Amino acid sequence: MTRDQLLTAPETAVPTLRGAVAGLPSYIPGRRSAGRDVAALASNESHYDPLPAVVSAVAEAAGRMNRYPDMAAVELRERIASHLGVTAGELAVGPGSVGVLQQIVTGLCDAGDEVIFAWRSFEAYPILIEVAGARPVRIPLDDAEGHDLDAMAAAVTERTKVILLCTPNNPTGVPISHERVEAFVQSVRSDILVVIDEAYVEYAEAGSGPDSLALYRRYPNVCILRTFSKAYGLAGLRVGYAVAAPAIAEGLRRTALPFSVSGLAQKAAIASLDAGEQMEARVDAVKRERARMAAQLEAQGWKLPASQGNFLWIRADDDLRAKLVDAFDRADILVRAYQGDGVRITVADPASNDRVLRLLAAHAARKPPTYNPIRSTDN
Ligand SMILES: *Cc1c(COP(=O)(O)O)cnc(C)c1O
């Protein structure tokens, strides 16, 4: 039989995807309009060009791309260790912190085990959990757009293996205070890994969120997840890491896809840590823009939660969301829209931010509805 005959013959068995995979939503790429002045505010990337020192470190590493990278990422882990005041044995690196999170879920969860997280939060959470064969348990945000930690603690069952806390939360920008995280960690079983995802920690005002390293040192079931993709501006190179108790970190290193963090990414991350002050200056500029935008939007009549990330969150019913998405589309501003929940806009350079402010001023008459937590299960 030919290939076409095989594919159309009704009696021919074909390979099928696992149910967990077949049920996943397909990735819908953001709209790109070529040749026009598009403001890319949909992915919380850094709008700055890479730092020259980072570009030259990558260029130098490019000359060795015929070789596999250091699989154990020894030099990078030692550099992160001295940056944080931990040991390299307490670190696992991966292709973005999403990659490390995949290592965490596959490393800790058997089929049917449960992972609890707030919703809405980072869209990658339910996908990684389902692909691993574990069960995602979404707990609606509270009415201040933050984690409902009481409800999350109440959702713990015998099958709970991992709990994800995202602070500041993507997409709402709301942090969880140190005291609340600590009380939560004390209230859950010590054999549950509590992962504090701090993808935006560099953008948070000191003291707004937890002192995660202090909590990690006090509670061995706390794990910290960080990334070079956001404030450090390395989204395209894929590198992030976890801080975890040595036995867990060791296990995560074993579950990693071999050589998944390229030599270019390792060198770029080291050079980025070395350029910490320049990164901080850039972060400060974004924080100033965030404050400027928040103040103007409030004056326009919008009610937004105080964001500690490099993004702003507009709660919107589907009617308002559709109107905003259409307006942003026509203005060539790419933003992230969430069905049933709202719109997230990355804070970037002043000119792009001004475009956002002008657009939202025109829609300010339509006040966003007050948030009424309903369990939303779509991705
Ligand atoms: C962007 C982001 C990450 C990390 O993404 P990577 O590029 O894979 O490092 C992790 N968590 C949250 C909440 C994010 O928004």
Side-chain angles (χ1 to χ4, degrees):
M1 274 208 284
T2 67
R3 182 175 179 280
D4 283 349
Q5 284 168 332
L6 261 174
L7 284 177
T8 49
E11 71 277 12
T12 314
V14 294
T16 53
L17 297 163
R18 282 166 51 219
V21 176
L24 290 175
S26 300
Y27 179 72
I28 302 165
R31 194 177 71 95
R32 300 273 154 188
S33 43
R36 279 187 284 169
D37 184 18
V38 175
L41 309 180
S43 302
N44 294 345
E45 297 147 333
S46 169
H47 66 278
Y48 288 103
D49 290 338
L51 292 170
V54 176
V55 173
S56 36
V58 169
E60 205 193 304
R64 293 186 297 280
M65 67 170 78
N66 54 314
R67 303 291 178 192
Y68 285 111
D70 174 9
M71 186 162 142
V74 174
E75 195 190 347
L76 173 57
R77 283 195 294 123
E78 277 170 1
R79 184 67 187 80
I80 298 169
S82 75
H83 175 67
L84 299 178
V86 299
T87 62
E90 298 165 274
L91 294 168
V93 299
S97 57
V98 158
V100 186
L101 184 58
Q102 184 175 50
Q103 292 162 221
I104 291 172
V105 177
T106 52
L108 276 88
C109 294
D110 284 314
D113 282 343
E114 293 168 358
V115 181
I116 299 173
F117 53 93
W119 200 248
R120 199 171 271 278
S121 189
F122 188 32
E123 315 92 85
Y125 293 160
I127 298 171
L128 293 180
I129 294 161
E130 277 173 30
V131 169
R135 208 168 77 76
V137 180
R138 296 168 173 86
I139 305 299
L141 295 171
D142 64 20
D143 54 15
E145 305 273 13
H147 284 51
D148 185 344
L149 293 180
D150 291 339
M152 293 179 79
V156 170
T157 72
E158 283 174 2
R159 298 300 306 263
T160 306
K161 285 285 165 62
V162 177
I163 300 175
L164 307 175
L165 303 180
C166 185
T167 176
N169 185 49
N170 173 9
T172 62
V174 175
I176 318 173
S177 74
H178 182 82
E179 293 68 31
R180 289 178 65 222
V181 176
E182 177 154 32
F184 179 78
V185 172
Q186 286 172 342
S187 76
V188 300
R189 289 198 323 267
S190 61
D191 64 331
I192 297 172
L193 190 73
V194 179
V195 178
I196 307 177
D197 182 345
E198 294 190 316
Y200 302 96
V201 68
E202 295 85 0
Y203 291 108
E205 297 297 346
S208 63
D211 180 345
S212 56
L213 280 161
L215 293 174
Y216 161 70
R217 291 200 179 92
R218 204 165 308 149
Y219 306 97
N221 62 319
V222 166
C223 165
I224 303 166
L225 212 49
R226 295 212 179 150
T227 180
F228 288 95
S229 295
K230 305 285 160 61
Y232 285 99
L234 301 185
L237 275 177
R238 316 306 304 129
V239 54
Y241 61 92
V243 186
I248 298 286
E250 220 284 304
L252 299 184
R253 294 197 294 274
R254 268 185 272 141
T255 62
L257 185 71
F259 308 111
S260 57
V261 182
S262 71
L264 278 63
Q266 293 184 34
K267 291 294 186 196
I270 292 167
S272 298
L273 288 171
D274 291 345
E277 278 177 23
Q278 286 159 284
M279 185 276 286
E280 277 170 30
R282 292 174 160 198
V283 162
D284 285 344
V286 170
K287 282 160 74 173
R288 282 194 299 274
E289 280 295 288
R290 176 179 72 196
R292 179 177 77 91
M293 291 182 81
Q296 287 206 24
L297 291 173
E298 196 181 334
Q300 289 177 9
W302 296 96
K303 299 232 177 321
L304 313 186
S307 173
Q308 295 293 329
N310 64 333
F311 51 87
L312 296 172
W313 172 244
I314 297 180
R315 169 72 51 190
D317 58 22
D318 281 334
D319 183 39
L320 174 60
R321 179 184 51 83
K323 286 200 171 76
L324 290 177
V325 166
D326 183 52
F328 277 117
D329 257 9
R330 278 184 289 131
D332 276 325
I333 302 171
L334 306 176
V335 299
R336 188 83 172 84
Y338 301 86
Q339 204 186 354
D341 282 318
V343 176
R344 189 196 68 196
I345 307 157
T346 304
V347 177
D349 56 289
S352 302
N353 299 339
D354 282 340
R355 286 167 68 181
V356 170
L357 290 171
R358 278 196 300 274
L359 184 147
L360 287 174
H363 286 80
R366 286 283 325 265
K367 296 275 171 58
T370 43
Y371 177 44
N372 176 18
I374 4 156
R375 185 177 294 261
S376 43
T377 50
D378 60 302
N379 291 315

